[in-house]
Amino acid sequence: SRFTGQSSTITGTYAGQFIMGGFLNFRMKKWMRALITRSCAIIPTIIVALVFDSSEATLDVLNEWLNVLQSIQIPFALIPLLCLVSKERI
């Protein structure tokens, strides 16, 4: 269960890096882009872990809700991405 959270965070971070690098045409050094996108993923995670460190049961419930929210949000990211990459001119 904890590894799924790590996996989704890493996947989201890499997706953010590719979007910044390709679709948005942000030109910056690779290390700076990695620092920004990874900070956007890791800093909120650290804050939540520090705030909810009172019990493991609370973190388990929070993790379940995050999984539900991610499953709802996936189509909103995936469908536009598929539409963009399927257009030859883009």
Side-chain angles (χ1 to χ4, degrees):
S1 173
R2 292 188 180 136
F3 293 115
T4 59
Q6 290 290 331
S7 175
S8 65
T9 300
I10 291 168
T11 304
T13 301
Y14 284 136
Q17 284 180 243
F18 287 120
I19 288 170
M20 284 181 69
F23 294 129
L24 298 179
N25 285 328
F26 282 168
R27 299 292 176 225
M28 63 178 64
K29 295 179 180 178
K30 289 183 181 183
W31 68 268
M32 179 64 80
R33 184 173 56 213
L35 180 68
I36 290 170
T37 55
R38 292 177 188 177
S39 295
C40 288
I42 291 173
I43 290 174
T45 303
I46 292 172
I47 291 170
V48 168
L50 292 174
V51 170
F52 288 98
D53 72 340
S54 59
S55 73
E56 193 169 324
T58 305
L59 287 174
D60 287 341
V61 170
L62 181 63
N63 189 35
E64 289 173 13
W65 276 106
L66 289 174
N67 287 336
V68 169
L69 288 173
Q70 285 177 343
S71 68
I72 293 170
Q73 293 173 340
I74 285 175
F76 293 101
L78 188 61
I79 292 171
L81 182 62
L82 290 174
C83 290
L84 283 173
V85 298
S86 66
K87 295 182 180 180
E88 191 172 320
R89 65 181 180 88
I90 294 178

